[in-house]
Amino acid sequence: MKNILLFIIPLSLVFGIDQAIKWFFVINNFNYDGNIISLVLVYNKGVAFSMFAFLEEWLKYIQVALLVAIFIYFWKNIESFKSYIIPAGIIFGAGISNVLDRFIHGGVVDYIFWHYKFEFAIFNFADIMINVGVACIIIYTLLKKNTKT
């Protein structure tokens, strides 16, 4: 039960925060032009940097299948899952939120645009949380290897 909560709580928090922010932007059609970061509402039909946008309607089903496949892998390798349960919850919460956008809005709701000294792709809170989750897994893995040697 404890392991399930360690997965469900970060998943729910990331999902809830991300959806609340996105709905704020969608309902208010919110935009802010800043010097370093602008907040600009866009609907990304692809993935990072709008790649695979040509897959259109199929992309959301591919992403659902990918999330299910990763979850099945973790379920079958439960000991690995336990080692990364909190970051996995963070990643799944963010991934589910972005996929839900595709079903509701026709694309992922993005709104953060970094344009100081260079222009970066427009992204959202869920994208940041996916990177945080992956970074946690990498750091944990490296620390785990160092303690074994």
Side-chain angles (χ1 to χ4, degrees):
M1 183 66 172
K2 178 186 171 191
N3 288 329
I4 292 171
L5 287 175
L6 287 174
F7 179 72
I8 296 293
I9 290 172
L11 183 152
S12 300
L13 284 172
V14 169
F15 178 84
I17 292 168
D18 187 57
Q19 284 297 304
I21 294 168
K22 290 172 177 176
W23 278 105
F24 171 80
F25 275 86
V26 169
I27 290 169
N28 296 299
N29 198 23
F30 187 82
N31 288 296
Y32 167 77
D33 190 25
N35 293 330
I36 298 171
I37 296 175
S38 292
L39 302 174
V40 181
L41 175 63
V42 296
Y43 298 92
N44 186 353
K45 306 288 184 185
V47 292
F49 305 99
S50 294
M51 292 185 299
F52 305 117
F54 65 90
L55 291 172
E56 297 176 4
E57 195 68 19
W58 287 101
L59 188 55
K60 62 186 171 191
Y61 299 109
I62 292 168
Q63 288 181 316
V64 167
L66 183 61
L67 284 169
V68 169
I70 293 168
F71 187 78
I72 290 169
Y73 171 80
F74 274 137
W75 191 260
K76 290 186 175 196
N77 299 285
I78 198 72
E79 290 308 313
S80 294
F81 180 67
K82 287 179 183 176
S83 298
Y84 307 110
I85 199 157
I86 294 173
I90 292 169
I91 293 167
F92 271 86
I96 292 168
S97 183
N98 278 346
V99 171
L100 179 64
D101 288 354
R102 293 187 187 285
F103 283 94
I104 294 174
H105 305 290
V108 175
V109 177
D110 285 336
Y111 47 84
I112 303 170
F113 177 46
W114 176 279
H115 54 81
Y116 180 71
K117 298 203 179 193
F118 66 93
E119 288 189 0
F120 194 73
I122 301 176
F123 56 98
N124 61 41
F125 177 76
D127 298 333
I128 295 168
M129 291 295 98
I130 290 169
N131 286 299
V132 167
V134 170
C136 288
I137 290 171
I138 291 169
I139 291 167
Y140 180 77
T141 302
L142 292 173
L143 291 174
K144 195 171 161 181
K145 284 183 180 178
N146 286 341
T147 57
K148 286 183 180 178
T149 56

